[in-house]
Every structure is written in structure tokens, then in C-alpha cells.
Amino acid sequence: MHLAERNAGLLEDILFLDADDYLLPGAMETFRTAIDQAPAAECLIAGYISISQTGARKVSLPGKLAERNVDTFAAYIRKQFNCKPTGATIFSRSIFEHTLFPIGINNKEDVVLMFQVLCHHKCLTIQTPVLEVLKHPDSQRHN
């Protein structure tokens, strides 16, 4: 999907999936329950499972959010706060009234978006995997 297309046609809650991502059974119910329990949250960050070419599975759960957004942002930059911006994160449409995917950045644009979200929006973590990520040789992600 072209970046400009990501910025158009958004619904109330948005979940972006990459081609090598698969939602686990019950993923949407997990998000819905979290939304119902914390309606003020603008971003819900869940866990995911990475599956290597050999079939090895690694569960990754999101880090703990700091009291101040700027501290969570700093932890994310230092790779001390684990999250996957696409697939395991659901965004409120309201985020995209002021924050968009960057145009002109064609690699890691989801990370740039996540920097902005962690700094400026109310986030909540869900300590449950909702996604499988298949790793392959041409994957640009190595987490």
C-alpha cells in the first residue's frame, strides 16, 4: 500500500498489517476488550510472535509504559520498550487528525509514526500476543 493510501479512508480504530503478518485467533476480541476497558486510550500495543525460517518461535510482549510519554519514547529509541507498530498495534482514528505516516520515507515509516504516537498520545499495553510475524530472507525487520 502506498503511504498516501495509508493516510486516507480511515475508520474509528485502525490496524495495519504487513504482508508477512497474521492475526492470531481472538486478536480482534483482545483489542475490543481493551478498547472497552480503556476508552480514553488512543493506541493499544499488544505482543506478537516472531517465527524464523527454521520454525523457531519467539514471543515478544510490549514494554512497560513510563509515566511520561517522553520517557516511553526514549525507551523505544534505546530499544528498551518493545512494540511492533504494524499488526500488533491498533490506533484510534483521532491520532490521524494530526499525525500521519511520513511521506518521502519508504523504509521504517511505521517506526517514525510510532515515535510520534508514543510522544503525543495516550497509549496502553496488552500483555498478550495477537500476531504472528513470519521472518524471511528479504524481510526488512530483524526483531
Side-chain angles (χ1 to χ4, degrees), residues 79-132:
K79 298 187 178 194
Q80 297 168 342
F81 177 80
N82 182 44
C83 77
K84 183 175 180 318
T86 56
T89 301
I90 197 164
F91 302 92
S92 168
R93 182 175 195 266
S94 64
I95 287 175
F96 296 95
E97 292 172 7
H98 303 286
T99 305
L100 299 175
F101 278 95
I103 304 297
I105 298 177
N106 296 321
N107 187 14
K108 303 286 186 186
E109 70 282 352
D110 52 345
V111 175
V112 176
L113 174 74
M114 203 66 205
F115 286 157
Q116 296 176 75
V117 170
L118 289 172
C119 279
H120 302 293
H121 298 280
K122 181 171 176 46
C123 299
L124 176 75
T125 57
I126 303 169
Q127 299 301 314
T128 302
V130 297
L131 184 77
E132 285 184 339

Side-chain angles (χ1 to χ4, degrees), residues 2-80:
H2 187 272
L3 294 179
E5 292 171 351
R6 282 189 173 178
N7 292 330
L10 303 175
L11 302 172
E12 285 306 309
D13 296 304
I14 300 112
L15 175 73
F16 298 103
L17 286 175
D18 287 333
D20 50 1
D21 295 347
Y22 298 91
L23 287 175
L24 293 171
M28 296 311 292
E29 185 59 34
T30 297
F31 281 128
R32 175 125 356 262
T33 299
I35 290 167
D36 290 346
Q37 292 175 353
E42 298 171 283
C43 175
L44 302 172
I45 305 164
Y48 61 95
I49 301 170
S50 298
I51 303 174
S52 73
Q53 291 179 314
T54 64
R57 300 168 69 85
K58 177 186 172 195
V59 175
S60 296
L61 298 177
K64 183 180 178 201
L65 294 168
E67 270 190 50
R68 298 180 327 143
N69 287 17
V70 68
D71 294 331
T72 301
F73 168 76
Y76 185 61
I77 289 174
R78 294 183 192 114
K79 298 187 178 194
Q80 297 168 342

